[in-house]
Amino acid sequence: MARQLPYRTIEAIFTTLHGIDPEPKGELEHVNAYTLVVAVALSAQATDVGVNKATRGLFAQVTTPQQMLDFGEERLLDAIKTIGLFRQKAKNVMKLSRILVDEYDGEVPSSRAALQSLPGVGRKTANVVLNMWFHQPAQAVDTHIFRVGNRTGIAPGRDVDTVERALEDNIPARFALHAHHWLILHGRYICLARKPRCGICPIYDHCPFEEKTA
């Protein structure tokens, strides 16, 4: 775990990432807030590619909580059976759909607390939805962001909550909305867990990671 980077270095890193991709996008396919909630909930311990493959056909038929209830759990199970933990995830999707219909008139709430009250929706999922759909500068920490935050010193911490707070505290306000996506994409495609691709890293000169590859 690297030491906390100075503010100016963090600013330089995000200036570089912004210059490469000013409007980074998440890779989970969705058509509205509800399908985003479902997609993110399904993505736990699964890849975005795998989730997209399963939900592409599903979201062609189902885009609202009521449609999901009408679709039914058995058909949902069949649609997402290629995703890890699909049985429990299907139960959670049906339960959260019922709650959205009964308590929120079928609309996805824009409150973190309300989102986290839904079955299968933890803080990370809630933060992704708040960031991607409601355009709030929430920082959803997954394994990629946890790794990048610690290696670079942008947001060092021994647990997810500490890294999330460090991101909120350390990222310049003008970069906060897109920081989640810049970091997750950097971790997914360049700062890999086993063999980081340091040779093509655009922030190489700012990164204090001691085990840089050639």
Side-chain angles (χ1 to χ4, degrees), residues 157-201:
R158 298 192 181 281
D159 56 64
V160 169
D161 291 341
T162 303
V163 170
E164 181 182 332
R165 288 194 297 271
L167 290 171
E168 292 173 345
D169 291 343
N170 300 332
I171 294 172
R174 69 181 183 277
F175 297 126
L177 180 61
H178 293 310
H180 161 74
H181 286 126
W182 281 317
L183 294 177
I184 195 172
L185 294 171
H186 189 72
R188 185 173 290 167
Y189 297 109
I190 295 178
C191 194
L192 308 180
R194 295 185 178 180
K195 294 183 179 180
R197 305 173 69 192
C198 300
I200 63 168
C201 178

Side-chain angles (χ1 to χ4, degrees), residues 72-109:
E73 187 172 333
E74 288 303 314
R75 293 172 69 189
L76 176 59
L77 281 167
D78 187 60
I80 66 170
K81 62 187 178 184
T82 56
I83 300 175
L85 306 175
F86 71 98
R87 295 187 186 280
Q88 184 58 52
K89 290 177 180 179
K91 292 183 184 298
N92 287 337
V93 168
M94 300 308 295
K95 289 178 182 177
L96 71 84
S97 298
R98 171 54 65 191
I99 292 172
L100 290 175
V101 168
D102 291 347
E103 300 182 18
Y104 297 97
D105 296 322
E107 299 295 324
V108 174

Side-chain angles (χ1 to χ4, degrees), residues 58-74:
L58 175 64
F59 293 160
Q61 305 174 71
V62 177
T63 60
T64 70
Q66 186 59 57
Q67 288 177 352
M68 185 65 78
L69 295 176
D70 295 339
F71 192 68
E73 187 172 333
E74 288 303 314

Side-chain angles (χ1 to χ4, degrees), residues 7-19 21-24 131 135-137 139 167-180 182:
Y7 179 84
R8 288 185 178 179
T9 305
I10 294 175
E11 188 173 40
I13 286 173
F14 282 103
T15 298
T16 298
L17 296 176
H18 174 272
D21 185 2
E23 298 284 337
N131 183 282
H135 307 296
Q136 297 182 23
Q139 305 301 328
L167 290 171
E168 292 173 345
D169 291 343
N170 300 332
I171 294 172
R174 69 181 183 277
F175 297 126
L177 180 61
H178 293 310
H180 161 74
W182 281 317

